[in-house]
């Protein structure tokens, strides 16, 4: 019976303060949506980044006039670097094969002789796969005599890193504001409810009701706001997923992802609502009675 | 038993709401607390359900002493006392049934038991027909009857009534007094504060006269002020 009493009081509070409750629920929903979306987007971007990085090769083109023997000597020299994971030697013939594969034409048919230089494809150890070291490496290798040019596709990676960082920073900034607003609004609805029920609380105290019974409806009120905010947020996120997934291949989704979204938004929403209201209800109740 | 020894109450920096009160109320008694406005009747009653604690001295209520009592024990004490007020203190937006059920819900009783008990209580105060009505729609006399049913719900050893007839007309007042008398006849102590001398003048119960935060000794019961109260009451 106590349980039903508490639940009835909770819903009574929610209905009585429905306007601020709606505002609070929407704020919780937006905050959770941004939080989860931010998490997912940065997760996807980091995935892309590390994919790109691990597939990143540094191409070292040698002077076209060099013989294979001289090239082998340069390879020996390169092998001294402990930062290199492996080196692939690409002979003139292999280069021509690659050219044919990529462009569908035989270079020897276009030009009389094979103009492609000998080159190396170098893969660095993962921990050296960052722009700082790469540019240093490029400079060093380019200074070796017989090396014509060193190439790697750093621009894409740097751009992607910048984007990821920008999204993270602005997202976290917005999130901090939203968490602040969420806290304020949840506390506000609890305060309004406690104030509206001040006479009932006073009567219940005279009848010997304990803190648990008096505070629980307000704590559950906050938890319920979090729950509804979480449900709305999960629904919104899943709709966004379906929409995005059909236009990008970048975002992968599955039933498993949906389950996770439900778990995260609901548990986060309830937890935030519960903790915020539990943390403030005592203060509001005491405030009523200190004025007496 | 309820005992006051050397009890003084000061509200904030205002001293002497009660001054050195020594008083014993035996179980099963019907006690009337009579005195003019501001004499300290409500203050004395609030001490019994420990809404306030004495500034000095000790109040002992049954097995609880104000000297050392935890908030939790104060709640337990209150669940063993019935209280009735001039302003009823009903929860206006709840039904009659839910108001009377409240002490039983607080105690954590089962639903089936609560329903049976509340119906019996409402029947006793002749309010069963209104059980579904919202408390705010009742007449004042009906409200006080519901409040008395609520006070009786836990079968308390004492009922404290602070001017229970203060807002009621003659007929409703008599009705409330006879309800309290019936409760008393069933073995519950009743302590009732009132300035309605007319209502209680023919009753045989113990009277405690208060004035200015003090209990008047029996021989000074008819101080000029009290004489005036009594005279005014008799003239009405
Ligand atoms: N909460 C309070 N804060 C400060 N002073 C108070 C408070 N309650 C009562 N008093 C003062 O204490 C004294 C006793 O008040 P109390 O309410 O006990 O009198 P009473 O006999 O019940 O009066 P009434 O017949 O008007 O109800 C009065 O002087 C009153 O002004
Ligand atoms: Mg009073």
């Amino acid at each position: 019976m106590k349980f039903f009493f508490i639940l009835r009081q909770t819903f009574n509070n929610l209905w009585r303060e429905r306007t601020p409750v709606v505002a609070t629920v929407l704020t919780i929903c937006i905050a959770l949506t941004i939080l989860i979306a931010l998490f997912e987007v940065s997760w996807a971007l980091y995935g892309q980044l590390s994919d790109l990085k691990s597939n990143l090769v540094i191409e070292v083109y040698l002077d076209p006039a060099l013989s294979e023997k001289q090239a082998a000597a340069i390879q020996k020299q390169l092998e001294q670097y402990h930062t290199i994971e492996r080196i692939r030697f690409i002979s003139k013939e292999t280069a021509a094969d690659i050219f044919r594969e990529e462009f569908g034409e035989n270079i020897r048919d276009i030009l009389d002789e094979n103009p492609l230089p000998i080159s190396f494809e170098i893969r660095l150890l993962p921990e050296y796969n960052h722009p700082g070291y790469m540019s240093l490496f490029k400079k060093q290798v380019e200074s070796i005599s017989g090396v014509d040019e060193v190439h790697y596709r750093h621009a894409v990676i740097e751009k992607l890193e910048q984007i990821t960082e920008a999204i993270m920073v602005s997202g976290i900034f917005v999130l901090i504001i939203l968490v602040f607003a969420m806290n304020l609004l949840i506390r506000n609805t609890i305060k309004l409810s406690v104030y509206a029920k001040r006479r009932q609380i006073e009567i219940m105290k005279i009848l010997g009701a304990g803190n648990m019974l008096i505070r629980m409806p307000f704590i559950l009120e906050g938890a319920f706001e979090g729950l509804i905010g979480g449900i709305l947020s999960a629904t919104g996120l899943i709709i966004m997923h379906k929409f995005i997934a059909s236009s990008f291949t970048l975002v992968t989704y599955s039933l498993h992802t949906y389950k996770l979204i439900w778990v995260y938004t609901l548990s986060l929403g309830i937890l935030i609502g519960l903790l915020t209201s539990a943390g403030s209800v005592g203060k509001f109740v005491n405030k009523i009675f200190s004025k007496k | 038993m309820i005992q006051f020894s050397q009890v003084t109450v000061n509200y904030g920096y205002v001293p002497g709401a009660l001054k050195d009160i020594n008083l014993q109320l035996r179980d099963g008694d019907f006690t009337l607390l009579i005195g003019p406005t501001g004499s300290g009747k409500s203050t004395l009653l609030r001490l019994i359900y420990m809404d306030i604690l004495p500034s000095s001295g000790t109040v002992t209520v049954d097995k609880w002493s104000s000297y050392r009592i935890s908030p939790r024990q104060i709640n337990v004490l209150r669940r063993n006392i019935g209280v009735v007020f001039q302003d009823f203190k009903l929860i206006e937006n709840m039904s009659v049934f839910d108001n009377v059920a409240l002490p039983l819900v607080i105690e954590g009783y089962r639903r089936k038991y609560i329903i049976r008990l509340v119906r019996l209580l409402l029947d006793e105060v002749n309010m069963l027909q209104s059980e579904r009505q919202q408390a705010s729609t009742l007449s004042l006399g009906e409200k006080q009857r519901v409040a008395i049913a609520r006070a009786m719900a836990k079968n308390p050893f004492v009922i404290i009534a602070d001017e229970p007839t203060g807002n009621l007309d003659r007929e409703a007042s008599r009705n409330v007094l006879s309800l309290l008398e019936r409760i008393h006849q069933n073995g519950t102590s009743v302590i009732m504060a009132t300035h309605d001398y007319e209502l209680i003048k023919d009753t045989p119960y113990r009277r405690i006269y208060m004035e200015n935060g003090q209990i008047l000794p029996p021989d000074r019961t008819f101080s000029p002020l009290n004489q005036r109260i009594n005279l005014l009451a008799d003239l009405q």
Side-chain angles (χ1 to χ4, degrees):
Chain A
M1 196 60 185
K2 226 174 196 170
F3 176 73
F4 290 110
F5 175 82
I6 290 171
L7 271 192
R8 246 174 72 190
Q9 289 299 312
T10 304
F11 287 110
N12 181 272
N13 289 347
L14 287 163
W15 178 246
R16 188 194 283 266
E17 309 298 335
R18 53 196 173 274
T19 314
V21 164
V22 166
T24 309
V25 165
L26 287 181
T27 310
I28 294 173
C29 166
I30 293 168
L32 286 177
T33 307
I34 289 183
L35 177 69
I36 304 284
L38 193 67
F39 182 75
E40 284 193 75
V41 167
S42 50
W43 186 263
L45 283 173
Y46 273 127
Q48 287 286 312
L49 261 175
S50 58
D51 261 17
L52 277 176
K53 276 182 178 172
S54 61
N55 287 326
L56 195 68
V57 289
I58 298 177
E59 290 160 340
V60 177
Y61 295 99
L62 302 185
D63 201 324
L66 287 191
S67 68
E68 297 222 343
K69 213 170 162 191
Q70 286 167 308
I74 291 174
Q75 182 168 1
K76 277 254 159 54
Q77 217 173 327
L78 287 174
E79 274 164 359
Q80 306 284 312
Y81 280 92
H82 66 281
T83 57
I84 291 177
E85 194 174 74
R86 64 189 164 83
I87 300 178
R88 182 175 164 217
F89 180 89
I90 298 176
S91 65
K92 279 174 179 283
E93 287 69 38
T94 317
D97 290 347
I98 292 170
F99 186 91
R100 197 172 51 230
E101 257 171 48
E102 280 187 14
F103 299 100
E105 291 194 67
N106 196 332
I107 188 114
R108 271 163 287 219
D109 295 343
I110 305 168
L111 304 163
D112 278 346
E113 57 173 325
N114 181 354
L116 297 170
I118 295 172
S119 65
F120 300 112
E121 260 183 30
I122 295 176
R123 205 180 283 270
L124 292 175
L125 287 167
E127 60 266 39
Y128 293 99
N129 257 331
H130 55 82
Y133 179 75
M134 282 182 177
S135 69
L136 180 76
F137 183 79
K138 174 179 152 93
K139 261 194 209 116
Q140 287 180 358
V141 174
E142 273 176 345
S143 69
I144 297 172
S145 78
V147 172
D148 189 19
E149 247 188 313
V150 177
H151 267 311
Y152 64 92
R153 294 207 310 232
H154 56 101
V156 180
I157 289 177
E158 274 165 22
K159 196 85 206 160
L160 207 56
E161 262 174 353
Q162 274 170 13
I163 292 172
T164 311
E165 202 166 293
I167 289 176
M168 287 296 280
V169 168
S170 53
I172 286 170
F173 182 73
V174 172
L175 203 65
I176 287 172
I177 293 174
L178 279 169
V179 165
F180 194 74
M182 191 162 63
N183 186 293
L184 210 73
L185 286 170
I186 294 172
R187 289 164 54 97
N188 182 53
T189 55
I190 303 306
K191 187 174 162 181
L192 288 171
S193 288
V194 168
Y195 192 72
K197 288 276 171 75
R198 64 194 182 282
R199 196 163 157 78
Q200 178 178 334
I201 294 172
E202 182 201 340
I203 292 168
M204 287 176 67
K205 283 202 166 182
I206 290 173
L207 296 177
N211 278 339
M212 213 283 288
L213 188 63
I214 286 175
R215 293 178 185 183
M216 210 37 129
F218 304 104
I219 296 174
L220 290 187
E221 186 183 345
F224 192 81
E225 287 176 331
L227 171 73
I228 300 297
I231 290 174
L232 290 181
S233 165
T235 313
L237 279 165
I238 285 169
I239 289 171
M240 274 169 15
H241 257 261
K242 290 205 161 146
F243 183 71
I244 290 171
S246 60
S247 45
F248 286 99
T249 49
L250 187 129
V251 184
T252 54
Y253 74 107
S254 65
L255 287 176
H256 180 65
T257 321
Y258 291 168
K259 218 181 275 171
L260 278 184
I261 287 177
W262 279 108
V263 169
Y264 285 140
T265 50
L266 290 199
S267 52
L268 266 178
I270 292 172
L271 206 69
I272 290 166
L274 200 71
L275 292 182
T276 311
S277 51
S280 60
V281 63
K283 200 185 79 186
F284 296 137
V285 169
N286 290 337
K287 222 179 221 168
I288 298 172
F289 291 99
S290 64
K291 278 186 204 138
K292 215 177 55 161
Chain B
M1 197 175 65
I2 297 168
Q3 182 154 8
F4 293 75
S5 7
Q6 303 177 332
V7 171
T8 300
V9 171
N10 309 315
Y11 284 111
Y13 296 108
V14 190
L18 288 182
K19 299 167 199 155
D20 194 30
I21 297 287
N22 290 289
L23 180 66
Q24 235 185 52
L25 303 167
R26 278 167 309 165
D27 286 345
D29 275 6
F30 197 125
T31 310
L32 294 165
L33 210 54
I34 302 162
T37 287
S39 58
K41 304 183 296 292
S42 296
T43 304
L44 193 128
L45 294 181
R46 285 175 73 193
L47 285 167
I48 297 175
Y49 61 94
M50 302 206 186
D51 193 25
I52 50 171
L53 293 172
S55 309
S56 69
T58 315
V59 180
T60 312
V61 182
D62 202 44
K63 57 178 191 258
W64 294 276
S65 162
S66 69
Y67 176 62
R68 262 200 193 141
I69 189 164
S70 65
R72 198 176 288 265
Q73 278 305 308
I74 289 179
N75 286 337
V76 177
L77 162 73
R78 287 180 187 170
R79 287 184 233 147
N80 283 282
I81 293 179
V83 282
V84 178
F85 298 93
Q86 179 171 2
D87 62 353
F88 323 117
K89 296 208 191 297
L90 295 180
I91 300 174
E92 296 283 326
N93 62 357
M94 278 191 190
S95 69
V96 165
F97 181 96
D98 287 339
N99 266 286
V100 177
L102 194 54
L104 305 169
V105 172
I106 289 171
E107 194 62 49
Y109 287 152
R110 302 248 312 278
R111 186 182 158 76
K112 249 170 89 178
Y113 180 66
I114 291 178
I115 292 173
R116 267 190 17 223
L117 193 51
V118 170
R119 296 243 163 92
L120 282 175
L121 288 158
L122 284 175
D123 199 24
E124 261 178 69
V125 300
N126 204 11
M127 286 297 293
L128 188 53
Q129 74 287 350
S130 312
E131 65 170 334
R132 292 179 174 279
Q133 221 168 304
Q134 187 154 304
S136 58
T137 65
L138 301 177
S139 76
L140 300 183
E142 289 173 327
K143 281 186 183 179
Q144 198 58 297
R145 269 147 58 201
V146 171
I148 291 172
R150 183 182 68 186
M152 286 303 298
K154 297 285 305 304
N155 199 18
F157 71 95
V158 60
I159 291 232
I160 292 165
D162 192 352
E163 297 189 36
T165 62
N167 283 332
L168 308 183
D169 62 27
R170 191 83 341 226
E171 196 196 325
S173 295
R174 292 212 178 285
N175 197 316
V176 162
L177 179 62
S178 65
L179 260 177
L180 290 174
E181 287 180 310
R182 228 169 55 218
I183 291 165
H184 169 241
Q185 276 154 22
N186 287 332
T188 304
S189 316
V190 176
I191 305 164
M192 172 171 151
T194 184
H195 25 223
D196 189 352
Y197 190 76
E198 167 69 19
L199 180 69
I200 50 98
K201 70 171 197 255
D202 294 326
T203 59
Y205 308 125
R206 179 182 180 190
R207 298 175 189 190
I208 293 168
Y209 291 91
M210 293 192 70
E211 202 176 289
N212 206 10
Q214 286 174 308
I215 293 172
L216 301 179
D219 56 326
R220 282 194 51 224
T221 295
F222 288 95
S223 74
L225 185 61
N226 278 303
Q227 267 178 16
R228 205 175 73 236
I229 294 172
N230 297 351
L231 192 64
L232 282 173
D234 286 340
L235 284 174
Q236 275 174 357

